[in-house]
């Protein structure tokens, strides 16, 4: 049971959680920016492409079927872009942070188990846990009594 190791473990756990959150936030923001740019470009490009395709399809098909075909193509492109932007983050930083997080959590659990076992031992056998404190206390009391006994005759001789 070392309080410094518990504090170090908690600090490592807090730092890795912060790193993991920053990496995920950065990935989310980049993904959001990519989605916004992709949507803007796709909007302009599809508008012109759709207009061109619509005029070409009107020559062959009816206006309703041409519009239905183009909207299906638009939905397929949009789904593909969202699937690409929604990929999970992959990187060595995130893997390393997750490994450190797991090891810090394991170390904290080991420390908690050690504290728990010492506490249970103290409750079941209180004399064993108090014995390391009693021995120095008894030696201090014995020395104090010896000094007071030695000081008592010297004080008696001075008074007479």
């Amino acid at each position: 049971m070392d309080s410094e190791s518990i504090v170090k473990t908690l600090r490592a756990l807090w730092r890795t959680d912060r790193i993991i959150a920053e990496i995920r936030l950065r990935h989310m923001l980049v993904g959001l920016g990519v989605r916004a740019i992709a949507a803007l470009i796709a909007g302009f490009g599809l508008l012109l492409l759709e207009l061109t395709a619509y005029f070409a399809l009107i020559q062959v098909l009816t206006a309703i079927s041409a519009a239905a075909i183009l909207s299906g193509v638009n939905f397929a492109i949009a789904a593909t872009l969202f699937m690409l932007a929604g990929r999970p983050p992959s990187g060595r930083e995130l893997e390393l942070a997750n490994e450190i997080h797991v090891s810090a959590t394991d170390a904290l659990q080991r420390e908690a188990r050690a504290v728990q076992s010492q506490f249970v031992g103290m409750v079941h056998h209180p004399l064993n846990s108090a014995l390391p404190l009693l021995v120095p206390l008894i030696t201090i009391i014995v020395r104090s009594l010896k000094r007071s006994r030695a000081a008592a005759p010297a004080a008696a001789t001075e008074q007479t």
Side-chain angles (χ1 to χ4, degrees):
M1 182 181 101
D2 187 13
S3 62
E4 289 183 28
S5 67
I6 292 173
V7 170
K8 286 179 183 178
T9 304
L10 285 173
R11 283 183 183 159
L13 188 63
W14 178 69
R15 287 178 181 162
T16 56
D17 282 342
R18 191 178 65 195
I19 290 169
I20 290 170
E22 286 176 3
I23 291 170
R24 288 186 178 158
L25 180 64
R26 196 176 330 134
H27 176 73
M28 202 167 51
L29 288 175
V30 168
L32 182 63
V34 168
R35 285 180 185 148
I37 291 172
L40 186 66
I41 292 171
F44 290 134
L46 281 177
L47 181 65
L48 292 175
L49 183 65
E50 200 163 330
L51 189 61
T52 305
Y54 181 74
F55 286 134
L57 285 176
I58 284 182
Q59 303 294 327
V60 179
L61 302 170
T62 63
I64 293 174
S65 59
I69 291 171
L70 290 177
S71 63
V73 170
N74 286 340
F75 283 130
I77 292 172
T80 304
L81 285 174
F82 276 111
M83 286 173 52
L84 287 175
R87 288 182 305 175
S90 62
R92 294 179 52 126
E93 292 175 341
L94 186 58
E95 291 175 16
L96 178 63
N98 281 330
E99 288 176 13
I100 294 171
H101 183 269
V102 167
S103 67
T105 304
D106 291 342
L108 193 59
Q109 286 176 351
R110 281 192 304 273
E111 290 290 334
R113 285 189 205 110
V115 168
Q116 181 185 10
S117 68
Q118 286 183 355
F119 181 74
V120 168
M122 191 182 340
V123 169
H124 288 296
H125 306 287
L127 188 58
N128 288 342
S129 62
L131 192 59
L133 297 174
L134 288 177
V135 171
L137 184 63
I138 291 172
T139 56
I140 291 171
I141 292 172
V142 169
R143 286 181 188 164
S144 164
L145 289 175
K146 284 181 182 178
R147 287 182 191 152
S148 65
R149 283 185 188 165
T157 57
E158 287 179 8
Q159 289 180 358
T160 55

